[in-house]
């Protein structure tokens, strides 16, 4: 048993007060021999003192706030440790398909990302989720955790627009760093959501490549694109060093020693479909440690205290 306020226990000697101080009514009687010895009243008097001592003890224990020890249980289920790296550039605040009358009818990219990711997380209760947002630099959203409220708040922050820059290297590096802060218990994956590619310096690329070679972290890239953007799946060929940035980044990801898959989403349905595919792939056995909090004994002590007070009132009003 643990106590939140153990110093209150120093007052426990006060429980002896009822035995040191008389609690009975005193009357001046001229001839005590008139009365017979009342053993029953003496027993009631002793019982009253015991009850008052117990009331003092229980009151002090309530102030000390006792709890039982917490425990940890291990559960095995299907899930993953996932980190979402989300683009926060200004372009994410635009609709999926811009221009004309469709602009006001299409869902905003960032809002669609927020909605679909929250739905994905809600349907995977055993997952541990981390969130990183990035624009010109990474925004640490939340560590890898089972706390859904924490994850939802981080997604809200990561899907708010920032400056017009796309520093993917910083976002990926920050996301990968999160995996080093926790124990590996099953499948691990980094999910990159971006509507642009951006350039990554050689130094950052080397750093990313080392982490992927040391850890078994799967990589998914969901490209939230406009209809006229370059497609990874068009089959077009480009001159060396003249490739679009999205093609260069895709080639870099393919060179990593990890399982990698890219998706293209031109609308919310395509984005939802990509997330569903990741959902199907990242359901592997995962070990989860669940903390069982200790029991608070104060409610029980309050009930006992109430019974003792009622009993004391009954005795106090009992007359022979």
């Amino acid at each position: 048993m643990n106590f939140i306020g153990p110093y209150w226990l120093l007052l426990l000697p006060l429980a002896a007060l009822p035995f040191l101080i008389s609690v009975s009514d005193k009357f001046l009687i001229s001839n005590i021999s008139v009365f017979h010895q009342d053993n029953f009243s003496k027993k009631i008097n002793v019982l009253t003192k015991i009850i008052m001592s117990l009331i003092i003890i229980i009151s002090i224990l309530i102030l000390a706030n006792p709890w039982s020890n917490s425990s940890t249980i291990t559960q095995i289920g299907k899930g993953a440790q996932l980190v979402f790296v989300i683009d926060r550039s200004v372009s994410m605040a635009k609709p999926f398909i811009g221009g004309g009358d469709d602009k006001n009818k299409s869902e905003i990219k960032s809002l669609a990302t927020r909605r679909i990711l929250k739905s994905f997380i809600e349907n995977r209760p055993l997952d541990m989720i981390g969130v990183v947002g990035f624009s010109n630099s990474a925004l640490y959203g939340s560590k890898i955790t089972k706390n859904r409220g924490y994850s939802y708040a981080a997604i809200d922050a990561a899907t708010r627009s920032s400056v017009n820059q796309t520093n993917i290297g910083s976002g990926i590096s920050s996301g990968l760093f999160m995996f080093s802060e926790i124990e590996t218990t099953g499948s691990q994956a980094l999910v990159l959501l971006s509507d642009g590619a951006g350039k990554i310096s050689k130094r950052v690329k080397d750093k990313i490549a080392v982490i992927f070679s040391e850890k078994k972290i799967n990589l998914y890239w969901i490209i939230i694109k406009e209809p006229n953007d370059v497609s990874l799946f068009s089959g077009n060929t480009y001159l060396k060093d003249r490739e679009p940035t999205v093609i260069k980044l895709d080639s870099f990801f393919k060179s990593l020693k990890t399982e990698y898959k890219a998706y293209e989403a031109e609308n919310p349905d395509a984005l939802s479909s990509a997330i569903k595919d990741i959902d199907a792939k990242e359901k592997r056995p995962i070990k989860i440690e669940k903390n069982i909090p200790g029991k608070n004994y104060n409610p029980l002590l309050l009930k006992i205290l109430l019974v003792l007070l009622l009993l004391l009132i009954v005795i106090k009003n009992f007359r022979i």
Side-chain angles (χ1 to χ4, degrees):
M1 180 183 293
N2 297 315
F3 294 92
I4 303 299
Y7 295 111
W8 286 103
L9 299 178
L10 296 175
L11 299 178
L12 284 176
L14 294 176
L17 283 177
F19 294 94
L20 301 176
I21 301 174
S22 176
V23 294
S24 61
D25 295 332
K26 295 182 178 180
F27 297 95
L28 183 63
I29 300 173
S30 59
N31 189 353
I32 195 65
S33 62
V34 172
F35 296 93
H36 297 288
Q37 186 174 3
D38 188 358
N39 292 326
F40 179 74
S41 294
K42 289 182 178 180
K43 293 178 181 179
I44 292 295
N45 190 39
V46 172
L47 177 61
T48 301
K49 292 180 178 181
I50 293 174
I51 292 175
M52 293 183 70
S53 289
L54 289 175
I55 289 175
I56 293 174
I57 292 172
I58 291 175
S59 298
I60 293 172
L61 290 177
I62 290 173
L63 291 172
N65 200 356
W67 287 73
S68 65
N69 294 326
S70 60
S71 59
T72 302
I73 62 173
T74 301
Q75 296 178 328
I76 302 296
K78 287 188 176 181
Q81 295 172 335
L82 303 172
V83 172
F84 292 100
V85 179
I86 305 172
D87 189 352
R88 297 180 63 238
S89 60
V90 173
S91 56
M92 286 290 288
K94 299 178 180 178
F96 272 89
I97 302 174
D101 296 334
D102 291 334
K103 185 173 183 179
N104 296 323
K105 298 178 182 179
S106 300
E107 190 171 9
I108 301 298
K109 297 176 186 178
S110 58
L111 297 183
T113 300
R114 180 186 303 179
R115 172 178 59 83
I116 292 170
L117 287 185
K118 285 186 176 180
S119 176
F120 169 83
I121 294 172
E122 184 178 359
N123 293 323
R124 294 174 62 100
L126 296 182
D127 284 352
M128 297 179 68
I129 305 296
V131 179
V132 174
F134 70 92
S135 53
N136 61 325
S137 61
L139 170 69
Y140 189 97
S142 76
K143 63 181 181 180
I144 300 176
T145 177
K146 299 188 292 289
N147 188 322
R148 289 296 181 260
Y150 195 11
S151 299
Y152 293 153
I155 289 174
D156 288 341
T159 50
R160 290 190 176 97
S161 62
S162 182
V163 299
N164 190 24
Q165 293 184 29
T166 307
N167 191 344
I168 284 183
S170 177
I172 295 175
S173 299
S174 298
L176 290 174
F177 176 75
M178 288 187 177
F179 290 107
S180 64
E181 298 180 316
I182 61 169
E183 178 187 359
T184 302
T185 60
S187 178
Q188 294 184 320
L190 186 145
V191 182
L192 172 64
L193 298 102
S194 173
D195 66 344
K199 296 180 180 180
I200 303 178
S201 67
K202 185 179 184 306
R203 179 183 62 83
V204 175
K205 282 184 177 180
D206 292 341
K207 179 181 177 181
I208 292 173
V210 168
I211 297 175
F212 274 112
S213 65
E214 293 176 347
K215 295 179 175 290
K216 193 175 182 180
I217 302 172
N218 299 331
L219 175 61
Y220 301 97
W221 184 18
I222 302 177
I223 307 168
I224 303 173
K225 63 187 292 291
E226 295 289 342
N228 296 325
D229 289 346
V230 173
S231 173
L232 296 179
F233 311 111
S234 65
N236 295 338
T237 57
Y238 302 92
L239 295 175
K240 188 176 180 180
D241 297 328
R242 295 294 182 91
E243 303 95 336
T245 53
V246 65
I247 300 297
K248 290 182 179 180
L249 188 57
D250 180 63
S251 299
F252 167 64
F253 288 158
K254 288 178 178 177
S255 70
L256 298 173
K257 296 179 180 180
T258 187
E259 181 179 333
Y260 163 67
K261 184 171 182 178
Y263 305 85
E264 290 183 345
E266 295 183 359
N267 53 62
D269 289 339
L271 175 58
S272 180
S273 178
I275 292 294
K276 287 180 180 178
D277 188 63
I278 296 173
D279 175 43
K281 292 178 179 294
E282 295 299 328
K283 282 187 177 179
R284 301 175 187 176
I286 183 173
K287 181 177 71 173
I288 298 175
E289 291 188 349
K290 185 176 182 180
N291 293 323
I292 307 298
K295 179 181 178 181
N296 185 0
Y297 290 111
N298 269 357
L300 175 61
L301 292 174
L302 286 169
K303 293 176 183 177
I304 297 173
L305 180 62
L306 177 61
V307 172
L308 291 175
L309 288 172
L310 292 175
L311 184 58
L312 188 63
I313 292 172
V314 171
I315 294 174
K316 182 67 176 177
N317 290 278
F318 188 69
R319 294 289 185 268
I320 298 178

